[in-house]
Amino acid sequence: CFAAVAAWHARAEWRATGPHERVSAPGASRAARALLSAAGATLSGREAKLALAAYGVPVAEERLARSAEEALAAARAMGYPVALKVESPAIPHKTEAGVVRLGVAGEPALRAEYADVMEAARRVASEAAIRGVLVQPMIGGIEVIVGGRVDPSVGPLVVVGSGGVLVELIRDSVTALAPVSPDEARTMIERLKGFPLLKGFRGQPGADLVALADTVARVSEFVSDLSDEIEEVDVNPLRCTADRIVAVDALITRKRRQ
C-alpha cells in the first residue's frame, strides 16, 4: 500500500515539473473536441476513428456505403477481399450484433453479405440509426487493444492489452495513469503476457514496437486532454505488423451531461 502511494506521489511530482514532450499535434484537442461536440452520447466507429486521427492515431482506410452499389464501387477501388461493418452509434458492439463480415471476396458475395448485415442491423437498431456500411480492406497482423477511461477516483487511465474478440477471455492488459510518454508506453507493452508475440515468436515477424508505443502515447494524450468530455475509449482491434500499426475499429462513449 505504501509503495503504491509513494509511486503515485513520485508520478505527481514528475508531472508537476512539466510541460513534458507530447507526441500529438498542438491543435489535436481542439479538432477532437469539435468532432465530439457534433456527435451523440456514443460515437459511431467512423466518428471515433476521426476523433482519434486528430491525435495522429493511424486508422484504417474505409468508405461509407449507403447501398450495395456504393459498397461494390468501394470494394472495386480498394481491391478484394474486404470487410463490411454496419455504421451505427446504436450498435457499439458490432461482432455481438452480427453486423460484421470479414474476408468478403467478389461481387456476388458482397451483395449477399451487404443485405445480410443490413438485415441483422435492423433487428437491433432503428432504420434512422443505421447510417450505412463501412467497407474496409482486409488488414492482417497481431491484434492489440488500446483504450482508456476516466476513473472518478484517480482520473484518466490508459490501457493496452492483447486484443480482438478474445480480449475479455484472455484478460492480458496493463493500465497506467494518462498521459504516458512513448517510453512509458513501451514499458507497458513489455509487461504484457503477449509481448513475445509482438516481439516476434518462433520465427514469425513481430510488430513495429516503436510505432505501437507511439500510438499508445497518443491515445493516452487523447484520454487525458478530453477527460472532461469522455467516459471511455476503446481501439479494438489495433492491427500490428512489422510495417504498420492501424486502428481497425474504435468506440468512444461521452460523459452524460447532468
Side-chain angles (χ1 to χ4, degrees), residues 7 90 99 103 109 132 150 160 243 248:
V99 295
V150 182
V160 61
D243 301 317
V248 174

Coordinates of all heavy atoms in Angstrom, one line a residue, residues 7 90 99 103 109 132 150 160 243 248:
A7 N 4.7 5.6 -5.2 CA 4.8 5.7 -6.7 C 3.8 6.8 -7.2 O 4.2 7.5 -8.1 CB 4.4 4.3 -7.3
A90 N -25.9 3.3 -32.6 CA -26.8 2.5 -31.7 C -26.3 1.1 -31.6 O -26.9 0.3 -30.9 CB -28.2 2.5 -32.3
V99 N -23.1 -7.8 -37.2 CA -23.2 -6.9 -38.3 C -21.8 -6.7 -38.9 O -21.5 -5.6 -39.4 CB -23.8 -5.6 -37.9 CG1 -25.3 -5.8 -37.5 CG2 -23.1 -4.9 -36.7
G103 N -13.4 -10.9 -44.9 CA -12.9 -11.7 -46.0 C -13.9 -11.8 -47.1 O -13.9 -12.9 -47.8
A109 N -20.7 -12.3 -53.5 CA -20.6 -12.4 -52.1 C -20.9 -11.1 -51.4 O -21.6 -11.1 -50.3 CB -19.2 -13.0 -51.7
G132 N -25.3 3.2 -42.7 CA -24.8 2.5 -43.9 C -23.9 1.4 -43.5 O -23.9 1.0 -42.3
V150 N -12.0 7.4 -17.7 CA -11.8 8.4 -16.7 C -12.4 7.8 -15.4 O -13.6 7.7 -15.2 CB -12.5 9.7 -17.1 CG1 -12.2 10.7 -16.0 CG2 -11.9 10.2 -18.4
V160 N -3.4 -0.9 -22.3 CA -3.0 -1.7 -23.5 C -3.1 -3.1 -23.2 O -2.8 -3.6 -22.1 CB -1.6 -1.2 -24.0 CG1 -0.6 -1.5 -22.9 CG2 -1.2 -1.9 -25.3
D243 N 5.4 -3.5 -40.4 CA 5.4 -2.3 -41.3 C 4.5 -1.2 -40.8 O 4.7 -0.1 -41.2 CB 5.0 -2.8 -42.7 CG 6.0 -3.8 -43.3 OD1 7.2 -3.7 -43.1 OD2 5.5 -4.8 -43.9
V248 N -8.4 -0.5 -36.6 CA -9.5 -1.0 -37.5 C -10.8 -0.6 -37.0 O -11.7 -0.3 -37.8 CB -9.3 -2.6 -37.6 CG1 -10.5 -3.2 -38.4 CG2 -8.0 -2.9 -38.3

